[in-house]
Amino acid sequence: MSSKKGRLLSGSRSSEHIKAWLIMLPSLLLMTFFVWEPLFESVRMSLYKTRNVELVRFIWFDNYLSVMKKDDFLQALMNTFSYTFWSLLIGFLLPIVLAVLIGETRRCKGIFRTVVYLPNMLPGLAVVILWSSFFSGGATGVLNILLSAFHIPPQTYLTRAEWVIPIIIMIATWKGAGATALIYMASIAGISPELYEAATIDGAGVWQRILHIMLPAIRKLAGTLLILQIISVFQIMYEPMVLTKGGPDNASLSLMQLMWQYAFGGSMNYGKASAVAVTVTLILLVMTAIYSYFNRKESDWD
């Protein structure tokens, strides 16, 4: 009797496993077709001499060596890390601040959420063109018009190497901070009201509630969004491409823009473009692995 019961349970589990795999099958097929297959094809193409997308001859790692020996690769690599640094400096804390401020607002929260999220609804290219007119170096630039009211002479912003990356990151932050802030707001909204009531009874003020209730509640979410932000910024391309074309003197050239130049900028060298893309992927994998290691260590300590 017990063996029959065991067979029934085993058959039931097998049936559930098959159903689970059938449910996941469409997603797995889409993932294979749109993610894994292009990734493996890029790795393969990076090891070949190419004629457009045609594989001509297997050359091992010559594409990687050829790309890395050029000065523009080192410049693009340094710029990409600079983008990441400025993004964390300018854009990481801003969504948290917005979420906390709106979370502490008693009235018109819906209006504030809409206003914060509005830039994210605009097309990315439209945002870049909008801000390019704002930072235009001529007398017709919006910022220069505003500064002229204080008798400050017109400035050139996007042609200064020391300014161009922070300006591009500021534009990207203006567009994307609202969406990230909404994620933090959703996490804050899930905090039990009893914690706030207990804190109020104990005489905790606004800053105590923020420091001891809100921030601990979103700490793990902030860690996840941190690595997602690094991955996103590391792949920045169309902002510097449209605003500065990588200038001045490659001061805003990113790795993804360098990849685009190899693939579509005239040489049509898809082998070298794939080598740059694979290099970016490997760097991001290493950074993600480092984050996962320290995150796991922190979880063990908790």
Side-chain angles (χ1 to χ4, degrees):
M1 188 72 179
S2 60
S3 61
K4 184 177 179 181
K5 185 177 180 181
R7 284 196 300 271
L8 288 174
L9 289 174
S10 177
S12 176
R13 292 195 193 97
S14 299
S15 176
E16 290 177 358
H17 288 163
I18 292 173
K19 290 179 181 178
W21 279 105
L22 288 175
I23 291 172
M24 292 189 296
L25 185 60
S27 299
L28 291 174
L29 291 175
L30 289 173
M31 179 74 75
T32 301
F33 185 77
F34 288 106
V35 177
W36 292 110
E37 195 278 334
L39 177 60
F40 289 129
E41 184 62 26
S42 295
V43 173
R44 187 166 75 105
M45 188 174 287
S46 70
L47 301 174
Y48 279 80
K49 180 178 176 59
T50 58
R51 185 184 299 113
N52 292 330
V53 294
E54 179 186 356
L55 305 180
V56 177
R57 188 176 73 255
F58 186 73
I59 56 174
W60 290 97
F61 299 104
D62 287 359
N63 283 328
Y64 292 90
L65 296 175
S66 177
V67 165
M68 293 179 183
K69 285 179 181 177
K70 295 185 178 180
D71 293 337
D72 56 359
F73 175 81
L74 182 59
Q75 182 69 53
L77 181 64
M78 293 172 60
N79 289 344
T80 303
F81 277 106
S82 182
Y83 279 118
T84 305
F85 168 77
W86 282 104
S87 172
L88 296 179
L89 189 65
I90 297 173
F92 180 67
L93 291 178
L94 180 60
I96 298 176
V97 173
L98 290 173
V100 169
L101 290 177
I102 295 175
E104 285 294 318
T105 303
R106 298 302 178 189
R107 297 179 181 178
C108 303
K109 282 189 178 184
I111 295 176
F112 288 125
R113 290 193 190 104
T114 303
V115 171
V116 165
Y117 187 72
L118 186 61
N120 199 264
M121 299 170 63
L122 301 175
L125 187 58
V127 169
V128 173
I129 294 173
L130 172 70
W131 281 98
S132 66
S133 64
F134 184 84
F135 286 109
S136 176
T140 57
V142 176
L143 184 55
N144 280 334
I145 293 174
L146 295 175
L147 292 176
S148 65
F150 300 96
H151 306 289
I152 299 175
Q155 304 290 322
T156 55
Y157 306 98
L158 297 176
T159 57
R160 294 194 177 186
E162 67 273 17
W163 289 4
V164 64
I165 289 181
I167 287 175
I168 291 173
I169 288 300
M170 189 199 72
I171 294 171
T173 301
W174 180 84
K175 184 184 186 306
T180 308
L182 286 182
I183 298 174
Y184 284 120
M185 281 183 244
S187 180
I188 290 173
I191 299 174
S192 174
E194 295 177 357
L195 293 176
Y196 291 111
E197 293 174 3
T200 302
I201 293 172
D202 290 340
V206 175
W207 289 111
Q208 283 74 24
R209 290 201 303 270
I210 292 173
L211 289 175
H212 301 293
I213 298 178
M214 285 188 179
L215 293 183
I218 63 174
R219 182 169 58 90
K220 290 187 177 180
L221 174 63
T224 302
L225 293 179
L226 171 68
I227 193 63
L228 291 177
Q229 180 174 332
I230 291 173
I231 292 172
S232 176
V233 174
F234 218 82
Q235 300 176 72
I236 192 169
M237 185 179 75
Y238 73 84
E239 290 92 344
M241 184 183 295
V242 175
L243 278 170
T244 62
K245 297 181 175 59
D249 195 23
N250 287 340
S252 61
L253 180 70
S254 68
L255 284 173
M256 297 305 291
Q257 189 180 355
L258 181 65
M259 180 203 71
W260 186 92
Q261 289 179 0
Y262 278 122
F264 308 107
S267 62
M268 302 291 285
N269 194 323
Y270 288 91
K272 290 184 179 179
S274 298
V276 176
V278 172
T279 302
V280 172
T281 302
L282 291 175
I283 293 173
L284 290 176
L285 284 174
V286 170
M287 294 171 70
T288 305
I290 293 172
Y291 165 78
S292 300
Y293 172 78
F294 284 106
N295 187 51
R296 188 164 55 250
K297 284 288 187 182
E298 185 180 356
S299 299
D300 293 341
W301 292 335
D302 292 343

